[in-house]
């Protein structure tokens, strides 16, 4: 792993502004390429990801390389003091490669070999694909490694998907052999005696398939783990020549996030992947101005994902793609309203992004993305609304370069575990089954997260491999899959003085998705002082209620029926056969406390419940308060706290400064007092830390 501290990226003083640039689509239009350079300056952009899908322009037939065009592009970007994030082109394949070596084509779960076309669809095991990637990556590193404008490597594009070809099956079986050693250990982990699915030999194991095995949850989990490991293995292969030839150039690969639900792309274990990259980056595409939720609610979902990507490495990340206007793949591709581009850009910077980059710089002329928003539209103009909005963001970023590298001081964390999401979506029980959204794990994490976001309290979205002891409060809802290791980790955290909150569905299965025998695990009984004896799943219109603190709160979807064995009962159920039994509990364990919420509730309960923690732990220390719908987020470095006050409503709002602060975008010093905010308005304030909290 290189030390990014020593790298050019850390010496770059600017926040990155720019995006995916695909000059390879325009090589027959030299006047357009010349315009690009002029327009880049007008747009106040400084960084471009190039050659992402340029393999056929770089190697038109096998071994026939063309770098002249890319030399010119990079040199021209350098002339305007721009950076290049150079991509390895493996995200899409040239036709000659598929034609000569069909093994590079993926095989789907139905065991059908794909035809050439599309993208992001190569076999991660194929030795030929690996060889060809190594050749082109080596050439890129040798040729461009010393270009001063080379800022970073962009590895492939949005890694994802799986291949079920014979090569991948073989790798999967080898992976299983390493993991289990002998087939009987695997049989036990997969509970394969069920439906007579016992394997005699590793050679009989096949990846899950709709035309074959799909009911062994140990197998489906392992397959997802394998796909993740195999993708990372391929990535390692991609970066090997880059590390060797350009050890000082940091490496990123663009991760994905599903803002709507919201959760990070679930096809890969990003907690593992994060350890292999120098800088985290992701592609953010919220559906602004939709007709089913408020702007404020959507902003909190975007914030949840930004906080997840920030927490992966505990350092600022990059938004590597976003749209300046609209995408072409939402159900409705709506234009950003005036003000939204600035607001949505700052919404990412506020949560730890050191960039605002776009897909894409120039709108394609043809093919599937010809109507996808871009900085430069088909009119080639710097005068249209979108272009001017982008330039305004560029100018704003030029006023706040000192924010680069500043951190977010979170004392609260909500735990997101992708393996838990995998196991829950397999579980045919509770609600529905087989879908990431049926049981609403990500939505529930977000609901708990929101209680803090709404109060402007910094919060991390942490993965289970991380050290928890730095947090005052850890919230781990719906932790269905709880291994001995995780239980131990949680116990140690509470014992050492931490506060832990969990909910219904806690502690059901181990890491193989085998249910813990003997009921609710002893370790969790000790920590929480309770025992979950049943879980009731409700129809969508069913309602129970939790009586807590003299109030009654709606309970729905899931009600865990619990018995206490040491915990104090704080709240009880109002109805049904478990009426008056414990619904909310608290237990002292070691130096800390473990709290349990038995049922799914609305925001009102979560707000009141977490308010107690916020008061007790002194978590709220912002020097800016504001009306509903305004979010105030902070970043800090050794010297200053930077407050981002963002009005995520369509109405004017007011904010109150408790002390004098500099408004960085207007340059004005504002005295303490009440100020008006415009609809979608955003202000960035700087406050000397000594005067802060
Ligand atoms: C993804 C891809 C880009 C582009 C955008 C469109 O993020 O990485 O190449 O297709 O989607 O929104
Ligand atoms: Zn394969």
């Amino acid at each position: 792993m290189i030390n990014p501290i020593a790298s050019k990226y850390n010496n770059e003083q600017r926040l990155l502004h720019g995006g995916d640039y695909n000059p390879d689509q325009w090589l027959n239009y030299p006047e357009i390429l010349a315009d690009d350079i002029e327009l880049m300056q007008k747009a106040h952009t400084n960084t471009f990801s190039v050659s992402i899908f340029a393999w056929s322009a770089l190697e038109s037939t096998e071994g026939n390389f063309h770098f002249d065009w890319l030399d010119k592009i990079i040199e021209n970007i350098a002339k305007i003091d721009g950076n290049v994030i150079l991509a390895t082109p493996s995200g899409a394949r040239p036709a000659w490669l598929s034609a000569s070596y069909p093994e590079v084509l993926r095989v789907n779960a139905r065991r059908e070999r794909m035809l050439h076309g599309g993208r992001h669809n190569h076999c991660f095991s194929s030795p030929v694909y690996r060889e060809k990637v190594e050749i082109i990556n080596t050439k890129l590193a040798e040729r461009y490694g010393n270009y001063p404008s080379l800022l970073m490597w962009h590895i492939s594009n949005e890694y994802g998907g799986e291949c079920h070809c014979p090569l991948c099956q073989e790798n999967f079986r080898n992976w299983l052999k390493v993991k289990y050693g002998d087939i009987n250990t695997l049989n036990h982990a997969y509970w394969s005696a069920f439906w007579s699915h016992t394997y005699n030999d590793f050679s009989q194991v096949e990846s899950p398939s709709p035309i074959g095995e799909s009911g062994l949850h140990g197998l489906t989990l392992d397959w997802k783990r394998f796909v993740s490991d195999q993708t990372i293995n391929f990535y390692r292969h991609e970066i090997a020549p880059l590390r060797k030839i350009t050890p000082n150039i940091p490496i990123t690969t663009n991760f994905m996030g599903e803002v709507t639900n919201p959760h990070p792309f679930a096809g890969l274990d990003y907690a593992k992947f994060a350890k292999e990259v120098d800088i985290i980056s992701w592609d953010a595409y919220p559906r602004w101005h939709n007709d089913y939720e408020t702007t404020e609610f959507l902003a909190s979902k975007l914030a949840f994902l930004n906080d997840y990507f920030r927490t992966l490495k505990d350092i600022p990340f990059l938004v590597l793609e976003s749209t300046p206007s609209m995408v072409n793949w939402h159900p409705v591709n709506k234009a950003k309203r005036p003000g939204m581009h600035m607001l949505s850009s700052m919404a990412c910077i506020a949560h730890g992004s050191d960039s605002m980059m776009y897909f894409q710089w120039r709108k394609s002329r043809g093919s599937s993305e010809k109507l996808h928003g871009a900085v430069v539209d088909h009119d080639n103009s710097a005068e249209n609304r979108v272009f001017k909005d982008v330039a305004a963001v560029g100018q704003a970023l030029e006023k706040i370069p000192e924010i680069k590298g500043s951190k977010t001081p979170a004392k609260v964390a909500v735990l997101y575990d992708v393996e838990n999401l995998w196991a829950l979506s397999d579980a045919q029980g509770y609600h529905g089954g087989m879908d990431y959204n049926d049981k609403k794990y990500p939505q529930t994490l977000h609901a708990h997260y929101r209680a803090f976001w709404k109060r402007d309290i910094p919060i991390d979205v942490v993965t289970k491999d991380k050290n928890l002891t730095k947090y005052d409060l850890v919230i781990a809802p719906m932790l269905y899959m709880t291994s001995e290791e995780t239980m131990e980790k949680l116990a140690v955290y509470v014992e050492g003085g931490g506060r832990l909150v969990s909910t219904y569905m806690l502690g059901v299965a181990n890491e193989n998705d085998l249910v813990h025998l003997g009921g609710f695990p002893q370790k969790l009984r000790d920590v929480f002082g309770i025992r979950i004896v049943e879980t009731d799943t409700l129809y969508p219109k069913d309602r129970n209620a939790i009586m807590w603190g003299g109030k009654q709160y709606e309970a729905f979807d899931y009600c865990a029926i619990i018995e206490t064995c040491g915990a104090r009962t704080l709240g009880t159920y109002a109805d049904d056969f478990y009426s008056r039994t414990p619904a909310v509990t608290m237990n002292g364990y070691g130096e800390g406390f473990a709290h349990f919420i038995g049922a799914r509730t609305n925001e009102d309960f979560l707000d009141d419940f977490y308010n107690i923690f916020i008061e007790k732990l002194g978590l709220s220390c912002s020097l800016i308060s504001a009306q509903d719908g305004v979010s105030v987020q902070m970043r800090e470095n050794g010297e200053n706290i930077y407050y981002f006050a963002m009005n995520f409503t369509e109405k004017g709002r007011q904010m109150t400064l408790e002390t004098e602060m500099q408004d960085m975008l207007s340059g004005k010093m504002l005295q303490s007092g009440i100020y008006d905010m415009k609809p979608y308005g955003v202000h960035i304030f700087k406050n000397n830390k000594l005067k802060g909290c």
Side-chain angles (χ1 to χ4, degrees):
M1 181 70 52
I2 70 156
N3 175 7
I5 304 287
S7 76
K8 178 155 184 292
Y9 174 69
N10 283 64
N11 297 331
E12 169 57 76
Q13 302 295 311
R14 300 168 293 187
L15 292 162
L16 307 185
H17 187 223
D20 285 17
Y21 179 34
N22 303 303
D24 38 306
Q25 292 178 20
W26 300 94
L27 295 180
N28 296 326
Y29 297 71
E31 66 291 354
I32 293 275
L33 297 178
D35 287 348
D36 281 335
I37 296 298
E38 204 174 302
L39 290 165
M40 284 170 180
Q41 291 168 282
K42 288 193 178 154
H44 292 259
T45 48
N46 56 39
T47 302
F48 296 90
S49 307
V50 294
S51 76
I52 295 178
F53 297 118
W55 200 337
S56 62
L58 293 169
E59 191 179 3
S60 55
T61 56
E62 189 168 3
N64 194 3
F65 295 97
H66 317 273
F67 293 107
D68 296 358
W69 66 270
L70 186 54
D71 297 351
K72 277 194 213 113
I73 295 293
I74 298 181
E75 280 155 19
N76 286 339
I77 291 173
K79 278 188 203 144
I80 57 167
D81 199 20
N83 298 305
V84 164
I85 298 181
L86 191 57
T88 65
S90 68
R93 252 188 331 272
W96 59 260
L97 217 169
S98 307
S100 304
Y101 308 101
E103 71 165 51
V104 305
L105 300 165
R106 262 184 205 172
V107 171
N108 69 14
R110 300 187 69 84
R111 310 307 192 247
E112 296 156 341
R113 179 129 356 227
M114 303 284 101
L115 302 177
H116 177 75
R119 61 172 179 172
H120 302 162
N121 53 6
H122 51 278
C123 167
F124 289 122
S125 299
S126 159
V128 171
Y129 203 65
R130 287 181 176 226
E131 183 198 324
K132 296 299 166 200
V133 162
E134 188 181 339
I135 293 170
I136 188 88
N137 291 6
T138 303
K139 286 198 181 289
L140 286 170
E142 284 170 350
R143 192 169 184 104
Y144 299 110
N146 290 324
Y147 273 50
S149 54
L150 176 62
L151 184 73
M152 199 177 297
W153 289 107
H154 178 299
I155 309 303
S156 201
N157 192 65
E158 295 191 336
Y159 280 119
E162 55 192 50
C163 175
H164 298 255
C165 81
L167 293 167
C168 288
Q169 300 291 348
E170 208 39 48
N171 282 332
F172 180 43
R173 290 180 196 120
N174 289 334
W175 185 95
L176 292 171
K177 279 181 204 159
V178 171
K179 178 165 181 180
Y180 294 105
D182 69 281
I183 197 68
N184 287 335
T185 312
L186 178 146
N187 277 319
H188 180 262
Y190 290 4
W191 208 247
S192 61
F194 175 79
W195 290 352
S196 211
H197 289 190
T198 304
Y199 298 104
N200 307 104
D201 189 83
F202 282 99
S203 62
Q204 295 164 344
V205 183
E206 283 267 353
S207 60
S209 169
I211 56 166
E213 186 60 84
S214 62
L216 294 185
H217 291 166
L219 174 74
T220 47
L221 259 180
D222 270 352
W223 172 248
K224 290 187 173 99
R225 290 176 176 134
F226 164 76
V227 168
S228 209
D229 285 359
Q230 188 66 0
T231 308
I232 293 172
N233 182 290
F234 182 85
Y235 160 89
R236 282 197 191 128
H237 183 86
E238 278 226 28
I239 67 168
L242 313 181
R243 286 283 192 233
K244 202 162 139 220
I245 301 164
T246 63
N248 292 318
I249 303 297
I251 292 179
T252 193
T253 182
N254 48 340
F255 290 164
M256 296 175 270
E258 238 281 32
V259 188
T260 306
N261 288 321
H263 61 77
F265 171 65
L268 292 170
D269 185 342
Y270 281 155
K272 272 192 178 177
F273 213 148
K275 297 186 172 48
E276 314 272 335
V277 307
D278 299 317
I279 295 165
I280 299 291
S281 61
W282 80 287
D283 301 341
Y285 291 107
R287 300 178 190 178
W288 296 114
H289 319 290
N290 66 51
D291 63 356
Y292 52 84
E293 65 193 342
T294 62
T295 300
E296 185 263 0
F297 193 78
L298 176 54
S300 70
K301 297 198 296 191
L302 176 64
F304 176 80
L305 280 174
N306 276 321
D307 283 347
Y308 167 81
F309 287 109
R310 188 195 64 236
T311 312
L312 278 180
K313 273 187 118 60
D314 280 327
I315 51 172
F317 59 92
L318 303 175
V319 169
L320 218 50
E321 290 182 27
S322 65
T323 177
S325 52
M326 63 189 70
V327 297
N328 67 341
W329 51 269
H330 287 166
V332 176
N333 298 296
K334 193 166 179 176
K336 276 183 179 170
R337 273 35 195 168
M340 180 49 83
H341 185 53
M342 179 68 77
L343 178 64
S344 60
S345 301
M346 292 309 172
C348 295
I349 310 267
H351 283 269
S353 175
D354 276 355
S355 73
M356 184 39 55
M357 306 274 286
Y358 310 113
F359 180 85
Q360 53 185 332
W361 165 253
R362 180 181 286 277
K363 215 176 237 188
S364 294
R365 180 158 188 206
S367 301
S368 69
E369 288 179 335
K370 63 180 180 290
L371 301 181
H372 191 294
V375 179
V376 182
D377 210 324
H378 298 131
D379 64 4
N380 201 36
S381 164
E383 297 307 319
N384 63 49
R385 190 175 69 91
V386 170
F387 190 96
K388 286 198 227 159
D389 280 355
V390 168
V393 166
Q395 281 172 300
L397 296 180
E398 285 164 5
K399 292 181 183 159
I400 57 167
E402 64 191 78
I403 280 170
K404 181 169 186 272
S406 59
K407 299 212 175 169
T408 306
K411 293 181 185 152
V412 186
V414 60
L415 183 82
Y416 169 77
D417 179 21
V418 71
E419 295 199 336
N420 189 52
L421 177 63
W422 291 341
L424 272 174
S425 54
D426 273 346
Q428 290 162 263
Y430 308 108
H431 279 107
M434 315 298 278
D435 187 282
Y436 290 143
N437 294 313
D438 285 338
K439 299 172 189 78
K440 299 198 168 74
Y441 173 56
Q443 292 86 339
T444 304
L445 298 189
H446 171 251
H448 286 251
Y449 167 95
R450 244 181 91 70
F452 297 87
W453 184 84
K454 281 192 301 190
R455 295 280 310 268
D456 303 333
I457 292 163
I459 172 165
D460 282 352
V461 180
V462 75
T463 48
K464 68 174 185 293
D465 55 305
K466 287 299 193 70
N467 175 15
L468 301 178
T469 54
K470 68 174 188 179
Y471 299 111
D472 292 346
L473 173 61
V474 171
I475 302 164
M478 294 178 72
L479 204 56
Y480 160 94
M481 198 172 77
T482 323
S483 65
E484 296 291 339
E485 196 188 338
T486 302
M487 287 190 244
E488 188 58 31
K489 187 166 191 164
L490 295 178
V492 167
Y493 168 69
V494 179
E495 204 171 11
R499 283 178 185 264
L500 175 67
V501 177
S502 192
T503 70
Y504 50 94
M505 287 190 199
L506 171 67
V508 176
N510 72 6
E511 67 281 8
N512 296 318
D513 208 358
L514 291 180
V515 174
H516 292 296
L517 291 182
F520 195 61
Q522 186 61 48
K523 188 101 223 168
L524 296 177
R525 290 186 205 190
D526 295 343
V527 174
F528 286 89
I530 62 161
R531 201 164 75 84
I532 300 180
V533 288
E534 274 188 67
T535 301
D536 194 16
T537 302
L538 307 188
Y539 273 89
K541 287 184 188 157
D542 286 343
R543 287 292 178 272
N544 201 321
I546 290 179
M547 324 268 276
W548 174 67
K551 279 165 91 172
Q552 184 156 327
Y553 301 87
E554 263 189 359
F556 51 94
D557 288 353
Y558 301 107
C559 295
I561 302 167
I562 58 185
E563 287 172 8
T564 55
C565 47
R568 233 177 80 201
T569 298
L570 304 178
T572 53
Y573 289 111
D575 288 325
D576 225 314
F577 68 94
Y578 40 94
S579 162
R580 284 201 269 273
T581 66
V584 184
T585 62
M586 168 181 170
N587 190 47
Y589 180 74
E591 303 286 305
F593 293 90
H595 305 253
F596 189 81
I597 303 170
R600 186 168 282 162
T601 66
N602 291 313
E603 283 195 10
D604 59 348
F605 174 82
L606 295 175
D607 289 346
D608 289 351
F609 181 76
Y610 286 122
N611 202 22
I612 294 175
F613 292 81
I614 291 169
E615 302 297 316
K616 204 174 190 88
L617 299 171
L619 297 175
S620 178
C621 63
S622 178
L623 292 176
I624 301 176
S625 54
Q627 291 177 313
D628 280 358
V630 176
S631 172
V632 182
Q633 299 296 323
M634 56 176 116
R635 291 179 65 166
E636 62 173 46
N637 54 26
E639 289 163 30
N640 298 302
I641 298 183
Y642 303 96
Y643 290 100
F644 291 73
M646 300 168 284
N647 179 1
F648 291 111
T649 76
E650 288 64 29
K651 301 263 162 55
R653 283 286 186 266
Q654 287 188 324
M655 61 182 170
T656 307
L657 307 191
E658 282 174 28
T659 183
E660 167 189 91
M661 282 188 234
Q662 189 195 346
D663 184 332
M664 295 178 82
L665 296 182
S666 72
K668 286 188 195 138
M669 221 38 210
L670 297 192
Q671 302 305 308
S672 59
I674 298 175
Y675 293 89
D676 287 333
M677 296 184 81
K678 293 196 179 115
Y680 297 155
V682 46
H683 293 259
I684 304 169
F685 295 102
K686 172 173 166 172
N687 180 48
N688 182 294
K689 200 172 178 182
L690 297 174
K691 293 187 211 153
C693 52

